[in-house]
Amino acid sequence: MKALLTLTCAGQFMVLLDNTIVGAALPDMQQGLHTGLTGLQWIVDAYVLLVAMLLLSGGVFADRFGRRRVFLAGVVVFTAASVVCSLAPSVGWLIAGRVLQGVGAAALSPASLALLTAAYPAPKERVRAIGLWAGFSGIGLAVGPLAGGILVESFGWPAIFLVNVPIGAVLLLSGLRVLRESRNPSAPPIDVPGTVLSVAGVGAVTYGLIEGGSRGWTSPVVLGGFAAGLVLLVAFVVVEAGVSTPMLPLRLFRQRLFTVSNTAMVVVGFALMGSSFFFSQFFVYVQDTSILVAGLRTLPTSLAMVIVSPYAGRFAARYGFRVVVSIGLALAGLGLLALGFVHADTGYGNVWWRLAVVGIGFALTMSPLTAAAIQAVSPQEGGLASGVSSTTRQIGAVLGVAVLGAIVHTRESGGASFESGLNSAFLAAGAVTLACAVFTGLWLTAARTPKDVLAERSGGRAVSERPLTAPPSRPTS
């Protein structure tokens, strides 16, 4: 049992490590591959887009066809894709490798959690095991910037992908020997049309946002991307409303708590991933540090998240989702606004605390938002709600890199410096996050129903006023 726990945690660690280690290497990739900001955006978003759109289907796939099989297949695809990335002679090849990495991660991550859940049927043991699984996720996020800086300084950017090869090989060989197959015979069928339409729709919108900064917002190709994305997303909604087992049950969004929590999670992904995309670039290109020093200087955000995240669920259980999430978003928004006033000559002593405030703020939001989404649905749909919460965060991340990158691109096209463009991007991220803090402060509660109103008038206790306490924390990938 311990071997299974170690394997699943290591698999999730590898996936989460890749989320942050790439950010540290972006300046070296830009120089080595002779690409611009648009190329860097695609290097990040190609991976995040596939993870976001395939995550829900990956979990169903594992339940239907075998969790062990899907986990090991994900390891193989992710590891092979890492080799492709490390050998990429051009940015096009690297983006293709990142797409394959995203496919592997979307299979590996939900399958690892499914294996863990099946292996620990006792509630207390399961909670403890999932806690360790989530802890490894946090370690992967925290280690990424430092590991990326060391590897890039010593061996160049391809090393950040090659580090996955020995981890993947050990996971594969050990998994073949240790893991036992399990599946859910009653799992729903794969929603192929919904999956294809979601990937194509969000991908087309992302294309328009990224390419609009370099090609021009009135370019026929860019306008065509937006139009195609709109049509595909409308088709996705129509298809999901008409099938019996959709990948994303739209009826869940009739619950205000579910809708508001997932809307806020989009903003969290948008602001966190969109801003962190530029952290290393700020230190390297604006403050003229080495890539290793830049990796070290970005640590306050990830370390603050690792330290504060375990307490977020406890705070939400004590004070309620609305209070904790709104405070967290307000802190993160203020931290991002403060970063918008950092310049080339600003000493690090006046920078690190801004990064830490951003990390603390977002750490207070993610676990409570997921818990709020879970509480909004029936107990049988808790896993689905958690998966949707992860997906909406990843969608926000895709849009964050695209939109904030477009802001920087547009400012530079107008004659502004890269530094001024970054300031504008941080200010925009902060403003959106603060607006979301107001939004959750007003609406992150359970919706009142006619039955609640009648209960109040008759002197009974309204259901809508029950304490919004968090259930046992469930990690998200």
Side-chain angles (χ1 to χ4, degrees):
M1 200 71 79
K2 290 183 179 180
L4 181 144
L5 178 60
T6 301
L7 281 174
T8 54
C9 288
Q12 182 69 359
F13 171 83
M14 183 170 68
V15 170
L16 269 294
L17 177 68
D18 198 78
N19 278 355
T20 53
I21 198 172
V22 171
L26 288 175
D28 195 52
M29 290 179 182
Q30 186 168 19
Q31 296 174 10
L33 295 172
H34 307 290
T35 187
L37 180 60
T38 299
L40 298 184
Q41 288 175 276
W42 278 119
I43 289 169
V44 173
D45 266 357
Y47 173 81
V48 180
L49 174 64
L50 269 296
V51 174
M53 296 295 98
L54 298 180
L55 198 61
L56 290 175
S57 296
V60 176
F61 206 86
D63 286 340
R64 281 184 65 84
F65 299 104
R67 294 147 183 161
R68 174 182 182 270
R69 180 180 301 171
V70 173
F71 177 82
L72 294 178
V75 170
V76 170
V77 172
F78 191 90
T79 306
S82 297
V83 175
V84 172
C85 290
S86 68
L87 299 176
S90 66
V91 67
W93 277 101
L94 180 54
I95 292 170
R98 293 285 285 164
V99 168
L100 288 176
Q101 269 194 320
V103 174
L108 191 162
S109 184
S112 69
L113 185 56
L115 281 167
L116 205 61
T117 303
Y120 290 90
K124 289 185 178 180
E125 293 182 356
R126 179 184 297 177
V127 169
R128 190 179 300 114
I130 291 176
L132 288 172
W133 185 87
F136 269 84
S137 302
I139 294 172
L141 290 173
V143 168
L146 177 58
I150 294 173
L151 290 170
V152 171
E153 284 287 325
S154 302
F155 308 105
W157 67 262
I160 68 166
F161 297 110
L162 286 175
V163 74
N164 295 325
V165 176
I167 300 175
V170 171
L171 284 174
L172 179 61
L173 295 175
S174 301
L176 288 170
R177 189 163 46 88
V178 171
L179 298 179
R180 295 181 180 180
E181 190 58 278
S182 65
R183 55 172 53 86
N184 178 13
S186 61
I190 304 296
D191 180 12
V192 176
T195 302
V196 173
L197 287 171
S198 64
V199 173
V202 177
V205 172
T206 304
Y207 177 86
L209 290 170
I210 292 179
E211 295 297 327
S214 57
R215 295 174 181 265
W217 298 106
T218 59
S219 167
V221 175
V222 172
L223 294 177
F226 286 130
L230 178 61
V231 171
L232 289 166
L233 290 176
V234 170
F236 169 75
V237 172
V238 172
V239 168
E240 294 300 278
V243 298
S244 58
T245 55
M247 63 174 283
L248 181 61
L250 300 179
R251 58 179 172 76
L252 297 179
F253 290 94
R254 296 172 188 164
Q255 299 292 331
R256 187 173 76 188
L257 185 61
F258 186 85
T259 301
V260 173
S261 61
N262 279 285
T263 302
M265 193 63 96
V266 171
V267 173
V268 169
F270 175 94
L272 177 59
M273 189 69 179
S275 59
S276 62
F277 172 77
F278 288 109
F279 286 169
S280 289
Q281 296 179 67
F282 167 77
F283 287 116
V284 172
Y285 294 136
V286 176
Q287 295 205 326
D288 198 27
T289 70
S290 67
I291 292 177
L292 176 57
V293 171
L296 288 169
R297 289 189 172 186
T298 61
L299 279 176
T301 301
S302 53
L303 286 177
M305 294 184 69
V306 171
I307 293 170
V308 175
S309 289
Y311 298 96
R314 302 179 194 177
F315 293 150
R318 185 169 186 176
Y319 302 107
F321 297 134
R322 179 167 58 176
V323 171
V324 176
V325 169
S326 299
I327 290 175
L329 288 170
L331 284 174
L334 291 172
L336 288 169
L337 288 180
L339 284 174
F341 295 97
V342 171
H343 302 290
D345 56 353
T346 305
Y348 185 65
N350 200 21
V351 176
W352 72 266
W353 63 267
R354 307 174 195 231
L355 295 169
V357 169
V358 171
I360 291 170
F362 284 126
L364 288 173
T365 63
M366 286 194 282
S367 176
L369 282 176
T370 301
I374 291 170
Q375 181 164 305
V377 303
S378 65
Q380 294 78 12
E381 294 177 315
L384 174 62
S386 177
V388 173
S389 185
S390 297
T391 299
T392 53
R393 188 182 75 247
Q394 298 281 7
I395 291 173
V398 173
L399 297 177
V401 172
V403 172
L404 297 189
I407 290 174
V408 174
H409 236 308
T410 302
R411 288 296 313 277
E412 287 187 299
S413 299
S417 65
F418 182 67
E419 177 184 338
S420 297
L422 287 187
N423 289 340
S424 297
F426 289 141
L427 290 173
V432 170
T433 306
L434 284 177
C436 190
V438 175
F439 172 69
T440 56
L442 293 173
W443 297 102
L444 192 63
T445 58
R448 290 161 57 87
T449 66
K451 185 182 295 185
D452 297 334
V453 176
L454 288 173
E456 284 183 353
R457 290 177 178 174
S458 62
R461 187 182 180 194
V463 175
S464 63
E465 292 182 354
R466 70 189 185 277
L468 290 179
T469 54
S473 59
R474 305 186 188 208
T476 55
S477 55

